[in-house]
Amino acid sequence: MDDTPAIEAALPAQVLPAAPAAVNGTDERRDYRPGYETVAERILEYIAEERLAPGDRLPTEIDLAQRLSTSRAVVREAVKILSALGRVRAHKGRGLFVADDEGMLVTSRWGGFFRPVDIDHVLMLFEFRRVQEMSASSLAATRATPSELRTIEVAMEQCRHGFVHGQVDVFNQADEDFHAAVSAASHNTFLVSAVRDARRLQRQSSAIGIHDTLGENAGAAVEEHEAIYRAIRDGRPDEAAEATAAHLDRTLEDYRREIQRRLFG
């Protein structure tokens, strides 16, 4: 994208501070990310702080590299991440733009405050997900139709298939389908929207802060999905909610451990 024109309003020199990460709930903070992850976060901050709207042009990779005191190669990797998240769009021969898809709409709804690599924000997001998804699974246990139960079951089995065969993309998509199917079975439009938006933000955190791999506890997730499915299928709302809480709590602990591993080795 060498021929991408820069936007007229250049990035202010200090508008893009690196987002700190909290450690163990204390005031001690260290950066646990490689450079391209930090740059991706700083570009997101720029979009929010400049109140750029979908379709607005971003600076060129070269311009971003100069203003962020980094290399173009690092910026290119950051752009790849943001493109995969649906936050920016690269148009060949035209330049880099703020995306106009649902990813940016979610950012608008949440005020642009969420920082995917700020551990404090991630913890709050897990709390929010816990409340929404416990409610969704509890309602699904009393409202799911046979067709909806089948959709949940298929997603559960696909998740297992992805884990057994080491297929990260299959596992991740099935995981997404499973949680979406459970929320749909709640027959509550507001819960469906809340769960979808929270999980989209969670994917941003996973894609930027934690690489897409099958963690050591992916097998536990498969079993947890099955426990949630069985409780919903058998019409046990309390057990469905408890199984969902256990699943999300364990996922959060996995996230904590991964960050500590990256901090301390």
Side-chain angles (χ1 to χ4, degrees):
M1 292 186 288
D2 292 295
D3 57 347
T4 307
I7 55 175
E8 294 182 5
L11 291 169
Q14 301 299 323
V15 77
L16 299 169
V23 182
N24 295 331
T26 69
D27 290 333
E28 179 187 359
R29 291 175 179 268
R30 290 178 57 190
D31 193 350
Y32 60 87
R33 301 157 293 172
Y36 60 84
E37 292 180 357
T38 301
V39 170
E41 171 68 7
R42 294 170 74 187
I43 293 173
L44 290 179
E45 288 182 356
Y46 171 73
I47 291 172
E49 291 175 11
E50 293 297 302
R51 299 182 181 277
L52 296 183
D56 285 349
R57 190 189 300 274
L58 289 165
T60 65
E61 289 180 356
I62 293 177
D63 193 23
L64 284 170
Q66 292 174 343
R67 297 179 185 283
L68 297 177
S69 300
T70 188
S71 69
R72 186 183 177 195
V74 171
V75 171
R76 185 180 297 115
E77 291 303 310
V79 168
K80 287 180 181 178
I81 291 175
L82 297 178
S83 295
L85 294 173
R87 303 298 294 273
V88 303
R89 286 286 179 267
H91 297 283
K92 188 174 182 180
R94 295 178 54 208
L96 188 64
F97 298 83
V98 177
D100 56 2
D101 69 355
E102 190 177 358
M104 291 308 300
L105 293 177
V106 170
T107 300
S108 175
R109 282 197 292 272
W110 294 104
F113 77 90
F114 179 69
R115 294 181 177 182
V117 289
D118 186 322
I119 187 62
D120 293 332
H121 284 207
V122 173
L123 295 179
M124 287 188 286
L125 182 59
F126 267 103
E127 289 179 349
F128 180 73
R129 281 190 59 196
R130 196 177 194 271
V131 171
Q132 306 304 323
E133 296 197 41
M134 284 180 68
S135 296
S137 60
S138 177
L139 289 173
T142 62
R143 298 178 178 178
T145 66
S147 175
E148 289 167 339
L149 285 173
R150 179 56 182 162
T151 300
I152 297 172
E153 182 182 23
V154 168
M156 175 192 71
E157 293 299 338
Q158 277 294 101
C159 205
R160 185 182 300 278
H161 176 86
F163 167 69
V164 169
H165 297 280
Q167 298 173 328
V168 179
D169 291 342
V170 172
F171 179 92
N172 287 341
Q173 184 58 58
D175 179 63
E176 186 66 27
D177 293 344
F178 178 85
H179 288 270
V182 170
S183 67
S186 74
H187 293 203
N188 185 305
T189 301
F190 295 99
L191 278 176
V192 171
S193 178
V195 169
R196 182 184 64 241
D197 289 356
R199 287 188 58 79
R200 181 179 285 269
L201 293 176
Q202 192 71 61
R203 286 200 303 278
Q204 293 175 9
S205 177
S206 296
I208 294 180
I210 304 298
H211 294 296
D212 285 334
T213 59
L214 289 179
E216 60 182 20
N217 290 317
V222 171
E223 300 306 320
E224 290 157 2
H225 283 175
E226 182 169 357
I228 295 169
Y229 163 70
R230 290 183 181 279
I232 292 174
R233 181 198 63 188
D234 297 342
R236 301 193 302 268
D238 291 343
E239 291 184 27
E242 291 170 4
T244 299
H247 175 51
L248 292 175
D249 289 346
R250 198 268 315 153
T251 303
L252 175 57
E253 285 309 307
D254 286 351
Y255 195 97
R256 287 180 188 271
R257 281 194 294 271
E258 174 62 14
I259 288 179
Q260 290 199 359
R261 182 191 67 79
R262 294 179 68 169
L263 280 169
F264 305 113

